[in-house]
Every structure is written in structure tokens, then in C-alpha cells.
Amino acid sequence: MKVVVLYIGSSLLAPLRRAEHEINERYRLDLSIAAHNCTLPFSSEQWSRAESDLAGAELVFLLHVTDSENAARITAALDRFRSRHRAVIVMNSLRELMRRTCLGERELFSLFDTRRTTANPDLGTRVARKLGSWVADYALLHRRDARSRRPDEYLEFVKKVPTLLRFIPSAGALKEVKQYLTLYCYFLQPTPANIRSMVLYALKHQVPGCESLEPAAPESKQVTGIYHPDAPALFSSYEGYGKWYERRMPLDPERTVGLLLMRPHVVSGAHGHCDGLLRALESEGLPVLAVLSTFMDNREACKQFFTEPAGGAPRIGQILSLAGFSFVGGPAMNDSEAAVNYLKGLNRPFRSAVSLEMQMTEDWAESQIGLNAVQTAMQVAIPEIDGATEPFVYGGIPSGKDQPEPLQDRCDRIATRLARWDHLRRLRRPDVRLAIVIYCFPPNKGNLGTAADMDVFPSLREILRRLERDRYTVAVPDTPDILREMLLGGDHLASVAYRLSADDYYRLCPYVAEIEAEWGPAPGHINTQGPDLLIHGIQLGNIVVAVQPTFGYEGDPMRLLMAKGGTPHHGFMALYTYLEHVFRADALVHLGTHGALEFMPGKQVGLSASCWPDRLIGSFPNIYIYSVNNPSEGTIAKRRSYAELISYLTPPIESAGLYKDLASLKELITAYRQATGEQRGQLFAAIQEKARDLNLSE
């Protein structure tokens, strides 16, 4: 007996495999559950296996199938094998798939066909139609009347479904409708027990010989709540959680990390990767308030748990979303304006981490790209529109396993970065140590302090003056020219702020052996003198102005740009080693468009611990002052160096025109073009004479 389940995400595989084992162990059905993940378009090989399973299935479940390419293939296969299927149960999928829903001989497509209208539909039809089309309806209603709709309207309706079921008859014309709605109740609460009971219920009512099966009634879990892996159950109130949590550490509102979790991960038991990240945060001394996301609109969970009642003060110091999709709109649509307005009012940093829902962890680790295009769009680009930053990968499903697991080194890196941001936020301004990084490109051309569309030294001095006014400890040079001369002083490319000995470099940097394989023994030949690596820059109180070294290849300075292999040279690595371990900067400020760090070798998106931008930036808070007219490379800086971008405008430009003798030459050329006869020859001679005077002739 074969049941085929087509689904998306990572939360259903383990409950399905567990259901298959437990049902066979108790009922001896020789049941096979073939599960196929439809998050990405099927490859030819994957589709061949799925099609073969569909051909031999008695029951088919389609859950959350929203990829149009997969849907077209599946729709054709369902039509082709319809006579072999005893039931096709479709939930929260594209409308063409929803219209293939059938239980036995009863076709339920009319429930999901908005072109068919009934003057007074019965209760069962109304409920089924509401559930069956909620994704499309949510987006449509948002576009038509966004301000008049409450974001929790759908959730309130979902809570009522089990109660409404009691008023729908189990026999007669509505028998199959009630069966479908009962299956939906299991699906809405995807606990391992409910997934098992959902399969049992479908077998009992649709497959002859299975009438004696005993599915349990749907168990109910809270729609929202506070989660902790060590707690016996979800908490329904902040006060209850705080009382339990105080045994670990106090929920300091300035330090607590608000963690947004996907509800299906928690209720299905597929939350090992979330647990790993939560524990990493706690190991850094950060209290955690982890709440179940309401899927369509994260504002509800935030309002209920992240702020005091009636729009009061925040209870959290920063937000880390593990929910993916849009902050407002979920998978149905993206209301970035509403998200930005809410997050502005909350006034807390918002970050979004990525679970590998669409690729195995080994595939990601081996990939030169990192995250695939679909996952980048859904879990990086869309959250970025809402204002999210630092798109770290934190977990996924390893090959041969059915549950997500944490990528511990990534979880630890996320935790240390959030701890550094927390530390920076609470530091007294006079105690903050900042490193402002400027560039010198192209190298050896007298271009110290270059940036696109920015006059660097006046801008840098203005930043220093502002820091001084805001009580940071800094000595501000009197003029931009003096600042420039201070940086240019000495016998080297720029002033030397520190000499890092090769011995200290070996001791402080864990990547020296890999760099030596590319560049030879430290200290190398770039930014060195004798046994020392030179850190170019000047220290002005608690502020160091550092010069980022070049890529390193003389005559081909862009050779490392997004290279698949290679490493930064010793001098480049030494700068960031010095800032971390010697100067001990609390944050970095990269000044202007753009530096080289974010273009170092490694994955494009979703970096690993072996990617050089990740190694260089480490756990530094990275503030990047970036030109507003270059969003594409600004996006690279955000994704590959975890930068918080602050935009600056390009200078206004107008036509400079010509002056003096150049203007006279232009007039002669214009007259020549319009002249005829002998006058044309005279004008040509005058043009030649003027060109010689201006040194424009050969």
C-alpha cells in the first residue's frame, strides 16, 4: 500500500517517516509513504521517481505545493493517473492543484473554483472554500483593502474550525466535506501524532479493508506562544515564561534576543537547528525570548510577546527571525511598507537567519555559490526588503537524515556577532573603540583615501567631529589637509599605526598556514619591513583610521575579485587580525564605495567558515558607508561582509561647459560646419591655428 506526499520545507519529513514506522508496527499494513520535497523544481531524475510513485499510489497528499513548474507536472500526472487514486488530498497549494482534490468518487473541485458560485452555500462548503483559498485570498484582500483587514483574521478563523466541524453532518451530501475538513484539522497542527493520525484517517475512510484503523482525534497546539527546548510546554504569557526563565538569567529588555520561529518546526518536533542556535545565544550570556511566528504576519507575535501591553516599551534588544518569507505577508505576499513602519516604531535591530529548506547541508557546503537562487530570493532578498541584515545559514538536513540539525560553527558565529552588537549598544560612548577603514586603489598611484562619489578626507574629518560632539574619545585634526598629511607621513605608503611581528601574527591568526600555501611564509612582501607586518593608519584617541591593503597582485590588482580559490595576502589578513586582537575594536566603519574585503574568495550568499569574507570580518559589527547609487555592490557588502549600510548621496553634477579659447574653438568648428565655398577654407585654417595654440594639434 503506497501513500505519496508532496510537500515543501523541512518540518514534515521526520513526522512522515515516523508515521510510516508506527503504523506498520501497530497495524501490519505494509505501508509505504513516499515523500517528495517540492520546494525547488524537480530535476529530471527527481521527477521520474515522483511520477513513478504517483502512478502506483492509492492516496496522494499535496501540502503547500506552490512552485508553478512542479505544479504543472503534478497536475498532468494527477489527471493521467486519476483512476488509480482512491483520494487526492490537496491543502494550501496552487489553485489548479486544489481543484484536483477528491475523496473517493467525490470531486471537491467546486469548493475551490471561485468561478462557480452558490447563492447560499452550506457551512461545510464555506469553511472548506475559506481554508482552500486562503493564500490567494490573503494577497488579494491585502491589495484591495489592506488597512481595513486585521492581520490575525485568518488565524482567528483557523481556531474556530474544530468547533465548526461539530455542526457539519458526517453522512449524506456533506460526508466527504467533513472528512476533508477533519484532515485539514490534522494538517493545521502538524505534530508527529497528528501527521500519523492524518494518514490513518485517510486510509480508514478511503481504502477498503482499513475501516478498523483508529486515528486519534486532532490534538491542538497553541497558535502562538513562547518556546524553549528545556520547558515542558509552550508558554502562553510573557509573565509565565519570565518566572520560569529567571532560574537561568533575568530577561533584561536591553539584552534579550527576540527569536521568531516557524510554528511548523516547533509543533512537528523538527526544531533541533533552532535549539542549537538558541543555546549558542544563551552561551554568550544573551537571554532568549523565542516565540512562534504567526506565519502570515510576524507583527502579531511581536505585539503579543516582544512589547509591553498596549504598544508599550520593547522587551527585547534585537530581533532574529528564523521564519523566512516576508515579515508581513508570509508566503502569500510582501508588505514591506507595513513591515518597515512597524520595525521603525519598535526601533530594534532586525536580522534574519537562513535554514537550508531547499538543499542538503552537504550540497550547500560543497557549493561555490552557497544558497541556491530560490532560497536566496525567499529567505535573503525578501527579508532584506523588510530591513533584515546578516543572512547567516544556521542549520539544515544532512544527507541520509530526516530532521534539521544545527550547523554549530555558524550558530556560534551568529551568537558571538549578536553579543558584540549587544556589547556595542550598551557601551559608554567615551569607551567605544572604533576602526574607520579607508582604501588605496589603484595601488601605488597616490590614491590614498579613494571612494566613489566621496571627498574622503573632508568627509572623514566631519565624521570625527561628529563623534567628538557625541562624546566619543577622539582627537580631531584641525583641517582635512592636516588629516591627509598625518596619514601620508613617513617613508611608507602611509603612516604606520602598528608593527605586527610575524611571531604575533602566527599566534593570533588561525589561517596563516592556508595563506602561506598561496603567498609563501609570513610576513611576505606586501606591507612589510623586516620581520614585521605594517598596519598603515593613525590612531586618534579611541579611533584608529586604518588603510585597507590592496588585493595584492601588482599589475593585476583585481585578480582575486570573486575568485573561486586563493586567499588574501598576509598584509590584508594582518590588518583585521590587528583590529581584533591588538587594537580590540568594538566596531568597524568601512568608509566609502568600496573596499576589497567583501570580494574575497568564498561563496556568493550564505557563507561558511571557510569563506574569506567571513574569516576577515569575524564577529565585528560592520558599518559600511556606501554610495546610494550602487545597490548591486552594496548588496554584496551586506551579504558577504554582514554590513549595515548607511547611504550617502552622489554629488550634484551639471555641465561644466567650455571656457576662454576652448569656447572660441567650438564657435569656429560650428561656423565651419555651416559654411560653404571659400569661407569654409578660411575657417579651416583658423581652426588649425587655434588648435596649435591650445596644444591640440599633432
Side-chain angles (χ1 to χ4, degrees):
M1 183 183 303
K2 177 172 284 188
V3 174
V4 174
V5 181
L6 298 118
Y7 66 100
I8 69 168
S10 61
S11 62
L12 284 175
L13 183 58
L16 286 169
R17 288 183 174 171
R18 179 174 169 182
E20 177 187 69
H21 173 75
E22 292 177 351
I23 291 171
N24 282 328
E25 189 174 64
R26 178 174 177 182
Y27 295 103
R28 308 297 178 186
L29 290 182
D30 192 25
L31 173 68
S32 170
I33 298 179
H36 297 275
N37 193 322
C38 298
T39 306
L40 292 176
F42 287 127
S43 67
S44 297
E45 182 181 350
Q46 290 170 332
W47 173 243
S48 178
R49 290 197 298 267
E51 187 178 35
S52 175
D53 286 334
L54 286 169
E58 292 191 71
L59 295 180
V60 179
F61 286 88
L62 282 83
L63 310 175
H64 284 306
V65 179
T66 55
D67 177 77
S68 57
E69 184 177 332
N70 283 339
R73 285 174 158 181
I74 295 167
T75 299
L78 292 176
D79 292 343
R80 192 161 64 252
F81 305 133
R82 173 64 187 92
S83 61
R84 308 180 191 182
H85 300 154
R86 298 186 182 277
V88 177
I89 301 152
V90 190
M91 301 176 188
N92 281 15
S93 298
L94 294 179
R95 186 156 288 166
E96 282 306 303
L97 292 172
M98 297 295 300
R99 295 180 68 245
R100 266 66 184 179
T101 303
C102 61
L103 299 179
E105 297 300 320
R106 178 74 186 275
E107 304 277 358
L108 300 181
F109 68 88
S110 61
L111 298 178
F112 315 113
D113 192 344
T114 55
R115 293 169 294 185
R116 293 171 173 248
T117 57
T118 306
N120 295 298
D122 54 71
L123 175 62
T125 299
R126 295 200 305 272
V127 174
R129 182 170 290 170
K130 178 80 172 178
L131 291 171
S133 61
W134 69 272
V135 172
D137 288 347
Y138 187 92
L140 181 63
L141 290 172
H142 168 81
R143 289 193 295 268
R144 287 180 177 173
D145 196 13
R147 300 185 186 279
S148 65
R149 297 276 170 180
R150 297 194 322 277
D152 59 348
E153 188 174 349
Y154 172 74
L155 293 169
E156 291 183 0
F157 177 75
V158 165
K159 294 175 187 177
K160 298 175 183 176
V161 173
T163 302
L164 295 173
L165 269 179
R166 293 183 297 181
F167 299 99
I168 301 174
S170 300
L174 292 180
K175 179 180 72 171
E176 288 82 5
V177 174
K178 184 165 185 174
Q179 289 174 2
Y180 177 81
L181 293 175
T182 302
L183 289 165
Y184 213 107
C185 285
Y186 290 120
F187 166 74
L188 287 172
Q189 307 278 354
T191 64
N194 273 352
I195 295 299
R196 180 180 65 249
S197 294
M198 181 179 74
V199 175
L200 281 172
Y201 187 91
L203 292 170
K204 176 183 178 72
H205 290 281
Q206 303 303 323
V207 179
C210 293
E211 293 82 3
S212 62
L213 299 181
E214 299 176 350
E219 66 178 4
S220 180
K221 293 284 187 180
Q222 295 169 218
V223 174
T224 59
I226 303 175
Y227 167 78
H228 194 284
D230 296 335
L234 294 173
F235 293 89
S236 58
S237 72
Y238 174 80
E239 291 72 22
Y241 178 72
K243 186 175 181 180
W244 176 84
Y245 197 78
E246 66 184 6
R247 293 174 295 175
R248 297 170 176 267
M249 63 183 90
L251 285 173
D252 181 351
E254 293 299 312
R255 305 201 62 218
T256 299
V257 176
L259 209 58
L260 288 170
L261 307 178
M262 286 188 70
R263 184 174 181 273
H265 282 151
V266 175
V267 300
S268 69
H271 47 68
H273 53 333
C274 304
D275 297 350
L277 179 53
L278 186 151
R279 295 190 192 283
L281 292 167
E282 289 183 332
S283 71
E284 290 291 330
L286 295 171
V288 179
L289 180 61
V291 305
L292 273 61
S293 164
T294 50
F295 195 54
M296 294 298 291
D297 195 332
N298 288 296
R299 289 177 298 181
E300 292 308 301
C302 293
K303 289 175 183 176
Q304 187 172 353
F305 299 112
F306 288 174
T307 61
E308 295 292 341
R315 293 166 169 164
I316 44 90
Q318 47 192 325
I319 300 174
L320 176 59
S321 174
L322 310 185
F325 300 118
S326 304
F327 187 80
V328 178
M333 38 71 69
N334 171 248
D335 189 345
S336 58
E337 183 180 357
V340 169
N341 287 339
Y342 178 79
L343 291 167
K344 269 186 177 179
L346 191 60
N347 195 27
R348 291 293 183 266
F350 174 54
R351 300 180 178 91
S352 180
V354 178
S355 168
L356 294 170
E357 301 288 322
M358 307 175 193
Q359 50 196 133
M360 295 295 178
T361 54
E362 292 84 359
D363 296 334
W364 163 78
E366 295 169 6
S367 170
Q368 294 175 347
I369 295 174
L371 296 179
N372 61 48
V374 175
Q375 185 133 350
T376 298
M378 296 297 292
Q379 293 193 274
V380 178
I382 290 177
E384 281 176 343
I385 295 172
D386 295 335
T389 58
E390 307 211 14
F392 276 88
V393 174
Y394 71 95
I397 300 179
S399 295
K401 297 191 178 181
D402 55 22
Q403 292 246 33
E405 296 180 0
L407 295 163
Q408 201 56 55
D409 73 292
R410 299 289 81 196
C411 290
D412 292 343
R413 176 55 60 85
I414 295 169
T416 56
R417 288 189 62 80
L418 293 191
R420 289 283 286 268
W421 278 109
D422 170 72
H423 175 71
L424 178 64
R425 189 165 172 266
R426 294 181 298 108
L427 264 182
R428 293 174 60 251
R429 289 181 178 180
D431 298 332
V432 173
R433 297 176 69 80
L434 285 179
I436 302 177
V437 180
I438 64 174
Y439 322 118
C440 180
F441 188 86
N444 302 327
K445 303 294 183 183
N447 288 321
L448 180 69
T450 54
D453 300 315
M454 175 187 283
D455 195 352
V456 170
F457 287 102
S459 300
L460 173 56
R461 183 175 178 276
E462 183 58 33
I463 291 170
L464 296 174
R465 287 182 59 201
R466 177 63 183 268
L467 289 170
E468 183 182 47
R469 287 199 302 269
D470 289 344
R471 297 182 294 107
Y472 292 84
T473 303
V474 57
V476 183
D478 291 336
T479 67
D481 289 337
I482 292 175
L483 176 58
R484 181 186 291 106
E485 290 304 316
M486 291 173 69
L487 273 163
L488 288 173
D491 300 327
H492 302 281
L493 170 71
S495 296
V496 176
Y498 190 80
R499 294 173 179 267
L500 183 66
S501 71
D503 289 342
D504 285 344
Y505 175 60
Y506 277 106
R507 179 174 55 85
L508 297 173
C509 177
Y511 312 115
V512 176
E514 292 179 59
I515 299 173
E516 286 186 326
E518 183 81 15
W519 294 93
H525 305 289
I526 302 172
N527 289 18
T528 63
Q529 186 175 45
D532 297 332
L533 289 144
L534 304 181
I535 309 302
H536 290 136
I538 54 174
Q539 186 166 344
L540 304 169
N542 281 353
I543 312 294
V544 67
V545 179
V547 180
Q548 187 183 81
T550 66
F551 271 101
Y553 289 97
E554 292 296 332
D556 188 9
M558 302 299 285
R559 179 173 161 186
L560 271 183
L561 182 66
M562 298 295 284
K564 295 179 181 179
T567 74
H569 58 77
H570 294 296
F572 203 102
M573 190 75 234
L575 169 64
Y576 290 91
T577 302
Y578 157 77
L579 294 176
E580 175 69 60
H581 297 289
V582 180
F583 180 71
R584 298 184 181 276
D586 296 305
L588 306 187
V589 179
H590 285 87
L591 181 59
T593 305
H594 56 70
L597 181 152
E598 63 268 27
F599 295 101
M600 286 293 176
K603 302 182 190 299
Q604 293 180 14
V605 188
L607 274 57
S608 70
S610 62
C611 296
W612 286 101
D614 184 274
R615 291 174 167 185
L616 288 159
I617 203 65
S619 58
F620 279 125
N622 184 20
I623 300 156
Y624 212 138
I625 301 176
Y626 215 91
S627 176
V628 73
N629 73 341
N630 194 350
S632 57
E633 290 184 311
T635 298
I636 292 173
K638 287 176 67 174
R639 296 176 182 178
R640 301 190 85 239
S641 68
Y642 318 128
E644 310 282 341
L645 297 190
I646 298 176
S647 297
Y648 62 88
L649 293 173
T650 57
I653 298 173
E654 65 179 35
S655 176
L658 298 173
Y659 55 91
K660 296 184 178 179
D661 287 345
L662 288 172
S664 300
L665 179 61
K666 179 182 178 182
E667 291 175 0
L668 287 170
I669 292 172
T670 302
Y672 173 79
R673 288 172 176 170
Q674 298 171 351
T676 59
E678 294 182 5
Q679 186 182 15
R680 188 176 176 88
Q682 294 170 357
L683 287 170
F684 184 78
I687 290 171
Q688 286 183 311
E689 183 180 354
K690 183 65 71 174
R692 282 193 297 270
D693 292 343
L694 292 169
N695 298 314
L696 295 177
S697 65
E698 294 182 0

